[in-house]
Amino acid sequence: MPDFPAGFRWGVSTSAYQIEGATTVDGRGPSIWDTFAREPGRIVDGTTGDEACDHHHRYAEDTALLAGLGVSAYRFSISWPRIQPTGAGPALTAGLDFYDRLVDGLLAAGVDPVATLFHWDLPQALEDAGGWLNRDTAARFAEYADVTAARLGDRVKLWITLNEPFIHMSLGHGMGVHAPGRVLLFDAFPVAHHQLLGHGLAVAALRARTASPVAIANNYSPVRPAGDGDADRAAAAAYDALHNRLFTDPLLGLGYPDAPGVDPTVVRDGDLDVIAAPIDVLGVNYYNPTGIRAPEEGSPLPFEIVPLDGYPRTAFDWPVAPDGLRELLLQLRDRYGDALPEIQVTESGCAYDDAPDAQGRVNDPERIAYLDGHVRAVHEAIGAGVPVTGYFVWSLLDNWEWAEGFTKRFGLVHVDYPTQRRTPKSSYAWFRDLVRR
Ligand code: BGC
């Protein structure tokens, strides 16, 4: 592995609902994922995040795993309904206490806490009032950012407002395969705009409470047209505008792109200035490129997603394409030029069906190959002048993978869910050695 610049941040990521469990302790309110997971047929294995990895009780053990890994940062998310059970009003002290202990434990272990404020677990009470379709949710989000930063302030070394607002809009509100399960197709645009507005208002709230840098974590996927024809290219451009530009152009001061569904009547005077408040870091989550072709006649979408041939595949059937990470980093640089802030890759990882062998060891050579390729892609992008200053593996632990329940394992650490026993995989040792070097 080639050398990375001194001070490069190596980390791992998780999110609250996927690992914490303990969903009814300390006054935590229900979130949209508690509700959604209970609806028959929503989650492939019929499970919920009620226990997940029981991290709420085992955070000290998990902090020791982070210390053993030697990472300089840990990205976790804060559960909004632990802080404000109904998404409004005063913060629950007990809810904040948990993150306070976690943050102090991380600092004592020499690991920078990186906190995401919203990783999709909206308080159910806010959903009942319209959720992100309701403009007021943006203001509620800023209030939550304020009360959380009032307690955790500068001890959190990087604040991330939203995780993957595109996925929350498209899978949660467009297609209905994630919570809250709405099927609005392109009528989901207000969810994009109100998340971005909430982000901008939260940036201002955070600035008033902390000197730590502020970021957002977007999901990106370079788009590959299925053929050379104009129709496939036009379809690919439409998908690219939706997936890669809808949330980034306005953040970086360019306003909304010409993407399917954009509805200017939702945007009020001044909103775009709030959204374009300067950020210090752009979080980039990358898993795979997307193949696109022109839609069939009569399709409600202006594109069709098609499998990409010629790549190895993960257990999720996602193509393993490290070149896509380099491509998208260069694309961000070319697209946004001087407007592009420092980048940290805030998620990168893969699911495989990892299981302990007869000796209890978990060998995951595919994950090592995956990470090796993606880390090299980041190095090449840095060499080409893209300002990338960090790389976080998704995920520290095998965890509850949303609509896939417990069927997809992304961790550097294997979790045996019935016993909650943690077993570092061979990729954990590989990543530890990489970080050490
Ligand atoms: C999300 C994670 C998720 C991962 C793998 C990302 O889109 O931020 O929560 O587990 O992808 O699907």
Side-chain angles (χ1 to χ4, degrees):
M1 184 61 68
D3 284 344
F4 276 72
F8 190 82
R9 178 178 258 166
W10 296 103
V12 287
S13 296
T14 62
S15 91
Y17 191 69
Q18 294 181 272
I19 66 165
E20 286 179 354
T23 53
T24 56
V25 306
D26 294 340
R28 176 190 179 278
S31 83
I32 56 173
W33 274 97
D34 297 290
T35 307
F36 184 78
R38 282 178 167 66
E39 292 171 11
R42 294 295 203 183
I43 311 299
V44 294
D45 59 1
T47 58
T48 70
D50 286 1
E51 278 195 48
C53 303
D54 196 31
H55 168 79
H56 195 268
H57 297 119
R58 293 167 197 263
Y59 72 93
E61 180 183 352
D62 294 338
T63 302
L65 285 166
L66 290 163
L69 195 53
V71 285
S72 51
Y74 171 51
R75 173 178 175 236
F76 59 97
S77 83
I78 294 172
S79 161
W80 188 347
R82 279 195 203 286
I83 308 302
Q84 293 175 303
T86 61
L92 275 186
T93 306
L96 285 167
D97 286 348
F98 168 67
Y99 297 104
D100 207 83
R101 290 193 296 272
L102 175 66
V103 162
D104 282 347
L106 292 170
L107 292 171
V111 179
D112 284 351
V114 174
T116 304
L117 285 166
F118 181 68
H119 201 124
W120 306 345
D121 47 354
L122 191 77
Q124 182 62 43
L126 290 185
E127 184 62 27
D128 296 342
W132 287 110
L133 288 165
N134 179 351
R135 186 179 168 95
D136 186 55
T137 297
R140 299 280 70 73
F141 181 64
E143 186 183 284
Y144 156 59
D146 173 62
V147 297
T148 306
R151 178 73 177 272
L152 301 174
D154 290 351
R155 281 177 297 151
V156 166
K157 300 301 179 198
L158 174 66
W159 287 93
I160 298 177
T161 55
L162 306 175
N163 178 70
E164 299 189 352
F166 169 71
I167 301 293
H168 192 53
M169 175 193 74
S170 58
L171 297 191
H173 300 77
M175 315 299 287
V177 299
H178 277 185
R182 297 188 195 250
V183 187
L184 299 172
L185 299 179
F186 294 123
D187 290 339
F189 174 72
V191 173
H193 184 63
H194 297 148
Q195 285 186 94
L196 282 168
L197 187 63
H199 156 84
L201 294 170
V203 169
L206 290 167
R207 297 282 187 219
R209 291 283 187 191
T210 173
S212 293
V214 175
I216 187 169
N218 280 329
N219 182 287
Y220 295 95
S221 179
V223 180
R224 312 258 158 100
D228 282 339
D230 288 349
D232 282 350
R233 285 183 179 282
Y239 187 79
D240 181 47
L242 192 64
H243 193 137
N244 296 315
R245 293 179 47 205
L246 183 64
F247 292 87
T248 309
D249 284 14
L251 282 167
L252 300 183
L254 302 178
Y256 283 109
D258 179 16
V262 171
D263 175 2
T265 66
V266 175
V267 183
R268 294 197 193 157
D269 279 357
D271 286 1
L272 289 172
D273 292 335
V274 173
I275 292 169
I279 49 174
D280 306 297
V281 174
L282 178 65
V284 165
N285 293 1
Y286 169 74
Y287 289 90
N288 52 260
T290 304
I292 291 290
R293 75 172 173 217
E296 302 281 330
E297 279 274 315
S299 162
L301 305 178
F303 49 75
E304 185 185 333
I305 296 177
V306 289
L308 284 169
D309 295 332
Y311 293 98
R313 312 194 83 82
T314 70
F316 229 131
D317 210 26
W318 293 348
V320 178
D323 53 326
L325 178 53
R326 186 189 54 237
E327 179 185 335
L328 89 81
L329 291 169
L330 294 176
Q331 197 172 60
L332 285 168
R333 197 255 334 254
D334 294 346
R335 246 172 212 176
Y336 300 110
D338 290 344
L340 185 69
E342 172 184 328
I343 288 177
Q344 295 189 14
V345 176
T346 35
E347 285 183 31
S348 169
C350 50
Y352 289 105
D353 296 329
D354 311 307
D357 65 16
Q359 284 73 44
R361 287 186 298 245
V362 184
N363 287 311
D364 56 345
E366 302 97 330
R367 180 167 293 98
I368 293 172
Y370 184 101
L371 296 176
D372 183 85
H374 287 73
V375 168
R376 286 175 193 276
V378 170
H379 191 269
E380 287 164 17
I382 295 171
V386 188
V388 189
T389 59
Y391 177 90
F392 291 71
V393 174
W394 183 272
S395 181
L396 171 66
L397 303 169
D398 290 342
N399 60 47
W400 193 78
E401 175 57 29
W402 308 116
E404 305 295 318
F406 290 115
T407 66
K408 298 289 181 287
R409 296 181 175 274
F410 276 90
L412 297 178
V413 176
H414 181 272
V415 178
D416 177 59
Y417 298 111
T419 61
Q420 293 292 353
R421 193 151 55 93
R422 274 84 162 127
T423 306
K425 304 178 189 178
S426 54
S427 58
Y428 175 97
W430 178 86
F431 196 57
R432 181 195 59 209
D433 292 347
L434 171 73
V435 170
R436 199 178 278 162
R437 276 204 304 278

